[in-house]
Amino acid sequence: MNLRLPSGDVRVCWQPPDLPSSRSIGAWLPAILLFILTLCSCSGSQRGGYGYADNPPTNRTALVAWQEWTRFGRSTVVYGGHAGGYTNRSGLNEHSEPLSSRVGDYWGSCGHPEWNGNTGGRPWSGAFVSWVMQQSGASSFPTAGRHGQYLASLYDREYRGHSTAFLLHAPNEYAPKSGDLVCSGTAGASWRYASAAMAHRRIDNTASHCDVVTDVRGGFVQAVGGNVKSSVTMSLYPIDGRGHLAPAPGKLWMMVVENRST
């Protein structure tokens, strides 16, 4: 006995899930925006503000300083704001090799290759700046182991109209940029309005430290200097709304040296 089964087309259709209505999206929108803003804030706290730039600078002088900072382990100190001069990151010590010999290279640029990171009583921050300038091709920079010595020489050249490769500015007159020097000293910016002879003496006798600016962002000047925390260290100094150096703990700003050579 043959049975005939009824035949017919059977079709299976996929039904997409209900999409959220515009009203439900609107209810969730504030939470979504808050989440995005939180992510941005976290990223900014690591790479902006108190953070340093991971990308090497394009200015030649700044690049040489930045590379030495990396060689020494990227020691970092933050000044101003809520930081108050704390050590954000410790670097490698000047007394360990091969870094002690590297300090000897800095001294060699100033005519003292016999000194190195283990030579007592020889602060090498001035030699570091001189070496950086020499390596970056700033041939007109007067190499010297003391900051006051090369700054006074730069002042004399500018005063006599002999050179425009480096120009000296009071801290409230000029916004530092990559490749410039930011310098502190016990006489502050009083040299700016003194006679030429007096200005020379004040700069030579009272300049205490200079750093090479590698970047300016997030409300800070990022500047690399030698013999800071017994290493090559990047310091983050606050700036005001015009980009000028702002007061920083333990710093009396003397000048900003504009670097036009590189």
Side-chain angles (χ1 to χ4, degrees):
M1 177 177 171
N2 295 328
L3 295 177
R4 284 181 174 271
L5 297 177
S7 62
D9 293 331
V10 178
R11 299 181 181 180
V12 178
C13 297
W14 176 77
Q15 180 68 31
D18 293 335
L19 296 176
S21 66
S22 59
R23 179 175 299 178
S24 62
I25 292 177
W28 281 96
L29 188 58
I32 295 172
L33 291 176
L34 179 60
F35 177 73
I36 294 173
L37 289 174
T38 301
L39 288 179
C40 294
S41 175
C42 292
S43 175
S45 65
Q46 293 172 356
R47 295 185 175 270
Y50 291 163
Y52 52 71
D54 286 324
N55 296 325
T58 56
N59 175 272
R60 292 199 307 274
T61 300
L63 177 60
V64 173
W66 189 91
Q67 289 172 332
E68 292 304 291
W69 168 64
T70 298
R71 180 190 298 271
F72 275 74
R74 295 192 170 190
S75 169
T76 309
V77 180
V78 183
Y79 293 83
H82 299 293
Y86 75 92
T87 301
N88 188 342
R89 179 188 178 110
S90 296
L92 303 177
N93 194 281
E94 63 186 316
H95 302 298
S96 61
E97 286 293 359
L99 302 180
S100 177
S101 295
R102 191 63 168 180
V103 174
D105 294 338
Y106 305 154
W107 276 119
S109 69
C110 305
H112 293 284
E114 72 277 13
W115 297 343
N116 57 46
N118 287 309
T119 305
R122 300 294 180 184
W124 48 273
S125 57
F128 172 78
V129 171
S130 294
W131 182 88
V132 167
M133 290 296 179
Q134 188 179 78
Q135 294 297 310
S136 65
S139 58
S140 62
F141 189 86
T143 56
R146 289 192 306 107
H147 298 286
Q149 184 178 349
Y150 67 70
L151 290 176
S153 179
L154 289 174
Y155 172 82
D156 291 343
R157 291 183 188 179
E158 182 181 348
Y159 179 78
R160 295 167 185 163
H162 292 170
S163 174
T164 58
F166 296 92
L167 300 179
L168 278 56
H169 304 275
N172 64 341
E173 296 174 339
Y174 174 80
K177 67 181 188 313
S178 182
D180 292 346
L181 299 179
V182 289
C183 304
S184 57
T186 56
S190 61
W191 63 273
R192 194 70 177 92
Y193 306 103
S195 65
M198 179 63 72
H200 177 101
R201 285 196 297 271
R202 288 181 182 176
I203 293 170
D204 189 22
N205 295 331
T206 68
S208 55
H209 185 76
C210 292
D211 295 306
V212 180
V213 177
T214 57
D215 199 2
V216 181
R217 65 187 181 91
F220 287 87
V221 164
Q222 301 180 4
V224 172
N227 200 36
V228 179
K229 305 294 182 183
S230 299
S231 188
V232 172
T233 296
M234 176 181 287
S235 298
L236 274 64
Y237 300 121
I239 53 178
D240 61 22
R242 299 176 298 168
H244 299 164
L245 290 167
K251 290 285 181 180
L252 181 59
W253 294 118
M254 172 176 274
M255 69 175 65
V256 179
V257 180
E258 180 185 357
N259 179 3
R260 295 183 171 185
S261 67
T262 64

